[in-house]
């Protein structure tokens, strides 16, 4: 979950993290230098900041996801996601995935961006008794996280396999929790002249060869070694922006073209099945609402949420909310059907989360509170229940999906 408390004060950075970030900064500064005076389009900078194999956030060894269950009350990592909060998330999802697998007669699941492997573990535990032949595939672009998944999921043996690239064909259920929000986005701004500009990232003067300052971590401002440069948008980006919103001078936001291509590709390689895409975001008219004039880019560092994207490269997560209308449009254009769209709370309730919880003994107060507390976060409108949505897209699936039985909001996309 990325809705961690936002505070004006950013945390103190440990020395090892400072060194990692300095390394990332040098790497990024070098890439910008190579790109020339116009620097790097923000999407390319964000991709390197998150996924560079040596310097990216998702390549680094430090723990990224807070595992409150393992850590007791202390939060670890930079943010916490639903599967890290509680196994009830995966158990609920399994109640939607199971009927899909039974309907298509192929017990195959493909999870994108499996993080620590927590969701895979919970789904495998829930579904293996019913589907002993279950094959769980994982595709994650982070080698570090893939390694962690291999360790965590070793007890499941050959039931879990890792893919290195998109499959040429797949029949089964695809899942992606908080993956679209982690894809690099293009940043744009409307000019006073009515034109669309793209934001590139450049080195501040003299920074490409700057010597690392060991005190830099003590002064958060000193970590901003990059700057934005506005350049005329490419025809593709300009067209995409104009199709989504009217001209609003000074308005800045982002577009996840990579996420849209990823959804389009699903139309090619998914032969039969459904994909459940879970993330925080809104339909397009809310995404590009005039009041959201600074977009949705957000960073997560040690459970602080802030918007200084150019700071702390390599050690902070960078994310953008998901424009679910754009994802649904990409799906339709690629020959997929939109099977359902609703809030996370409604989806989990429709899947029978409360019925499952009714088996818990409220008399065992300590255990009950431990189980129920994180579930409340998943469901609460003020936390993850409403901001997070579930979009189901698919092909050749002629069945009603229980997760959308009530509160389906496809008409709002
Ligand atoms: C925010 S983490 C979410 C992890 C996990 N799904 C969870 O909910 O805890 C984003 C994950 O997506 C992966 N990722 C990002 N882009 C990806 C892509 N194009 N294909 C596969 N994995 C991707 C990252 O490496 C990371 O594991």
């Amino acid at each position: 979950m990325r809705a961690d408390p936002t505070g004006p004060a950013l945390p103190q950075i440990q020395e090892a993290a400072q060194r990692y970030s300095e390394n990332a900064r040098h790497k990024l500064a070098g890439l910008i230098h190579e790109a020339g005076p116009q620097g790097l389009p923000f999407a390319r900078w964000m991709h390197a900041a998150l996924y560079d194999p040596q310097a990216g956030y998702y390549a680094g060894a430090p723990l990224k996801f807070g595992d409150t269950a393992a850590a007791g009350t202390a939060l670890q990592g930079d943010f916490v996601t639903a599967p890290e909060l509680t196994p009830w998330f995966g158990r609920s999802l399994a109640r939607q995935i199971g009927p899909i697998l039974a309907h298509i007669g192929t017990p195959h699941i493909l999870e994108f961006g499996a993080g620590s492997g927590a969701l895979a573990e919970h789904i495998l535990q829930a579904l293996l008794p019913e589907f002993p032949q279950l094959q769980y595939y994982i595709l994650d672009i982070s080698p570090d996280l893939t390694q962690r998944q291999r360790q965590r999921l070793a007890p499941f043996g050959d039931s879990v396999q890792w893919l290195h690239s998109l499959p040429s064909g797949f029949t089964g259920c695809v899942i992606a929790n908080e993956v679209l929000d982690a894809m690099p986005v293009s940043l744009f701004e409307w000019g006073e002249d009515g034109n669309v500009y793209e934001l590139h990232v450049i080195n501040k003067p003299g920074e490409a060869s700057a010597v690392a300052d060991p005190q830099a971590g003590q002064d958060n401002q000193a970590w901003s070694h990059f700057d934005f440069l506005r350049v005329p948008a490419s025809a593709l980006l300009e067209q995409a922006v104009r199709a989504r919103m009217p001209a609003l001078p000074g308005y800045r936001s982002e577009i996840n073209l990579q996420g849209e291509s990823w959804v389009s590709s699903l139309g090619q390689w998914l032969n039969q099945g459904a994909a459940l895409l879970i993330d925080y975001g809104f339909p397009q008219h809310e995404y590009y609402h005039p009041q959201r004039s600074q977009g949705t880019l957000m960073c997560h560092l040690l459970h602080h949420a802030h918007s200084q994207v150019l700071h702390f490269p390599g050690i902070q997560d960078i994310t953008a909310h998901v424009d679910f209308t754009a994802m649904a449009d990409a799906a339709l254009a690629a020959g997929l059907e939109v099977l359902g769209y609703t809030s996370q709370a409604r989806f989990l309730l429709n899947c029978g989360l409360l019925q499952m919880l009714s088996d818990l003994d409220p008399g065992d107060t300590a255990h009950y509170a431990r189980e129920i507390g994180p579930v409340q976060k998943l469901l609460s409108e003020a936390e993850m229940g409403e901001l997070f949505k579930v979009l189901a897209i698919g092909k050749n699936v002629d069945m009603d999906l229980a997760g959308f039985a009530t509160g389906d909001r496809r008409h709002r996309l």
Side-chain angles (χ1 to χ4, degrees):
M1 174 208 178
R2 310 305 183 76
D4 282 319
T6 308
L10 295 177
Q12 285 297 307
I13 312 298
Q14 299 294 315
E15 220 178 293
Q18 281 184 37
R19 278 198 300 277
Y20 192 85
S21 191
E22 272 162 22
N23 176 44
R25 176 166 67 79
H26 281 286
K27 181 83 197 247
L28 290 163
L31 292 176
I32 291 171
H33 188 70
E34 276 168 30
Q38 294 220 325
L40 288 175
F42 178 75
R44 276 189 56 205
W45 185 90
M46 180 171 166
H47 179 81
L50 292 181
Y51 301 111
D52 180 272
Q54 278 86 43
Y57 174 74
Y58 281 102
L63 185 70
K64 283 128 191 111
F65 315 102
D67 184 342
T68 41
T73 51
L75 284 170
Q76 296 187 353
D78 299 308
F79 55 89
V80 63
T81 59
E84 299 296 334
L85 270 175
T86 169
W88 292 107
F89 179 74
R91 289 171 192 156
S92 306
L93 238 67
R95 288 169 68 115
Q96 175 62 91
I97 296 169
I100 294 173
L101 300 185
H103 174 75
I104 59 182
T106 307
H108 290 176
I109 297 172
L110 169 51
E111 182 180 359
F112 281 84
S116 72
L119 182 58
E121 182 181 81
H122 305 147
I123 291 176
L124 281 155
Q125 283 165 346
L127 289 180
L128 270 173
E130 190 186 343
F131 300 96
Q133 305 302 320
L134 184 64
Q135 275 299 321
Y136 201 103
Y137 299 95
I138 293 179
L139 176 51
D140 197 308
I141 57 170
S142 161
D144 175 60
L145 289 173
T146 300
Q147 192 49 35
R148 289 187 207 192
Q149 293 153 17
R150 284 186 188 278
Q151 281 166 10
R152 182 168 189 157
L153 301 172
F156 297 100
D158 292 343
S159 298
V160 190
Q161 286 174 37
W162 280 263
L163 304 181
H164 302 291
S165 56
L166 290 175
S168 51
F170 183 78
T171 295
C173 196
V174 176
I175 49 178
N177 186 59
E178 292 206 36
V179 179
L180 284 169
D181 74 73
M183 292 186 183
V185 290
S186 301
L187 261 187
F188 69 86
E189 192 170 287
W190 279 101
E192 302 296 327
D193 55 7
N195 290 321
V196 181
Y197 292 84
E198 180 166 11
L199 294 175
H200 283 209
V201 183
I202 53 169
N203 291 315
K204 278 186 176 168
E207 288 300 336
S209 57
V211 177
D213 171 5
Q215 292 305 308
Q218 306 308 316
D219 172 4
N220 291 324
Q221 293 310 314
W223 281 64
S224 181
H225 296 275
F226 304 107
D227 229 334
F228 285 121
L229 175 74
R230 258 173 42 155
V231 305
S234 66
L236 176 77
L237 182 62
E238 164 133 20
Q239 198 186 1
V241 173
R242 287 189 185 280
R244 279 153 226 240
M245 65 174 299
L248 287 175
Y251 190 98
R252 182 186 283 197
S253 192
E254 59 284 323
I255 289 194
N256 189 347
L257 295 174
Q258 184 178 323
E260 290 171 40
S261 316
W262 180 81
V263 168
S264 301
S265 80
L266 206 78
Q268 284 154 25
W269 55 262
L270 184 68
N271 299 327
Q272 185 185 15
L276 301 172
L277 312 180
I278 307 146
D279 229 307
Y280 39 91
F282 344 90
Q284 207 155 81
H285 65 274
E286 285 180 51
Y287 201 102
Y288 298 111
H289 191 280
Q291 281 174 354
R292 210 182 298 285
S293 62
Q294 293 304 303
T296 69
L297 267 187
M298 194 49 80
C299 306
H300 298 269
L301 174 62
L302 300 171
H303 292 275
H304 286 249
H306 68 92
S307 57
Q308 296 173 31
V309 282
L310 301 182
H311 290 223
F312 312 110
I315 57 169
Q316 71 178 5
D317 192 21
I318 308 172
T319 83
H321 286 43
V322 174
D323 169 357
F324 280 103
T325 305
M327 298 306 155
D329 284 346
L332 291 172
L336 296 161
E337 270 182 82
V338 178
L339 305 171
Y341 171 67
T342 192
S343 67
Q344 172 172 291
R346 182 47 50 201
F347 179 83
L348 297 176
L349 293 172
N350 284 340
C351 286
L353 174 57
L354 295 187
Q355 285 94 310
M356 283 193 284
L357 291 174
S358 65
D359 289 342
L360 294 175
D361 174 12
D364 183 351
T365 6
H367 179 247
Y368 192 75
R370 257 200 321 276
E371 298 289 316
I372 295 294
V375 169
Q376 279 169 341
K377 276 195 171 203
L378 296 186
L379 297 180
S380 157
E381 276 200 16
E383 301 212 47
M384 301 172 80
E386 176 56 32
L387 179 61
F388 281 67
K389 311 289 189 314
V390 185
L391 175 70
I393 54 182
K395 199 189 270 181
N396 301 325
V397 178
D398 186 17
M399 67 182 286
D400 291 330
L401 301 186
F404 306 91
T406 67
D408 191 340
R409 302 182 185 172
R410 273 178 286 183
H411 58 282
R412 292 207 211 160
L413 284 171

